[in-house]
Amino acid sequence: MAIPLVLHAAALSQALPLLAALTRRGRPLPTPARWILAWCALGLATDLLSLVVAFEQGENEWVQYLALPLGSAFVLWGLSGWQATELFRLAYRFAIPALVVATMVALLVPHREPLFDDVVAPFHALVLLTAALHTLLHRTLLSARTITREPWLWIGLGLSLYFAGSVAIRPFAQALLGSNPEWVRQAWLARAWTTILAFGLITTGILCPLFRRASGGPS
């Protein structure tokens, strides 16, 4: 069965923020946004390596074992830079080793085979969804000016949408795979579309501010 084009487009959409960064023409990119770009680059590299390993060896799940904790660390470290208080900044950064250790323990102890896909990956997505939503809410409440020009707004929205889909898709697919496979297929297609939208929002954040502020008139 041919793979729908939208699934290919969803995978390639990870490159959009990276391409957008090349168009900034010397404008400095906020440090937190650079960590999000590193996460996007890691996603592309992971997908490519997974394809190569699957073609050469067949078994490629170990690639995700390495990439998932690293990607989560990139996102949490990036979001920590947008925290308004030192307490929250440290909390985000201390969450990284805790999440890595929890992942290692889950993978090293005896477990049923689909534990990574059914438990570990959704747990990472839930942690990152919570972090992205908290960043959005906290920064919005503290902002005294228009926030539509702020990179954290668009990147936070994109991350929230992406990880919300990551949390929901696996349980939904597992619950309905036996009884309604067509619903599962449509869910994965919807997931692909939301992924494209998510990286579109992140790209908008990389490009912010989209427009220069209007300069004052002659005195």
Side-chain angles (χ1 to χ4, degrees), residues 9 11 14 30 35 44 46-47 59 84 111 131 161 168 186 197 203 207 216:
Q14 298 171 100
W35 286 101
L44 279 173
T46 300
D47 288 346
E59 176 59 50
H111 60 270
L161 179 60
Q186 293 301 322
L197 177 57
T203 301
L207 292 172

Side-chain angles (χ1 to χ4, degrees), residues 4-71:
L5 288 177
V6 67
L7 297 182
H8 295 292
L12 293 175
S13 67
Q14 298 171 100
L16 292 176
L18 300 170
L19 296 174
L22 299 177
T23 69
R24 290 181 60 89
R25 299 178 182 177
R27 289 182 295 153
L29 191 65
T31 299
R34 296 177 187 175
W35 286 101
I36 303 305
L37 286 179
W39 171 69
C40 295
L42 177 65
L44 279 173
T46 300
D47 288 346
L48 179 60
L49 181 59
S50 295
L51 287 174
V52 172
V53 173
F55 181 78
E56 294 291 337
Q57 303 178 8
E59 176 59 50
N60 64 355
E61 198 169 37
W62 63 267
V63 177
Q64 294 295 332
Y65 291 173
L66 298 176
L68 182 66
L70 183 58

Side-chain angles (χ1 to χ4, degrees), residues 17-138:
L18 300 170
L19 296 174
L22 299 177
T23 69
R24 290 181 60 89
R25 299 178 182 177
R27 289 182 295 153
L29 191 65
T31 299
R34 296 177 187 175
W35 286 101
I36 303 305
L37 286 179
W39 171 69
C40 295
L42 177 65
L44 279 173
T46 300
D47 288 346
L48 179 60
L49 181 59
S50 295
L51 287 174
V52 172
V53 173
F55 181 78
E56 294 291 337
Q57 303 178 8
E59 176 59 50
N60 64 355
E61 198 169 37
W62 63 267
V63 177
Q64 294 295 332
Y65 291 173
L66 298 176
L68 182 66
L70 183 58
S72 297
F74 286 166
V75 173
L76 286 172
W77 195 275
L79 290 176
S80 74
W82 276 319
Q83 300 310 304
T85 68
E86 187 65 21
L87 176 62
F88 283 134
R89 189 174 298 114
L90 290 175
Y92 274 56
R93 293 178 180 179
F94 281 129
I96 295 172
L99 191 58
V100 171
V101 170
T103 302
M104 292 175 59
V105 170
L107 294 176
L108 291 176
V109 300
H111 60 270
R112 55 191 178 88
E113 189 60 32
L115 178 71
F116 183 82
D117 289 336
D118 291 352
V119 178
V120 176
F123 179 72
H124 274 253
L126 182 60
V127 170
L128 298 179
L129 172 62
T130 303
L133 289 175
H134 170 263
T135 302
L136 276 174
L137 180 61
H138 194 216

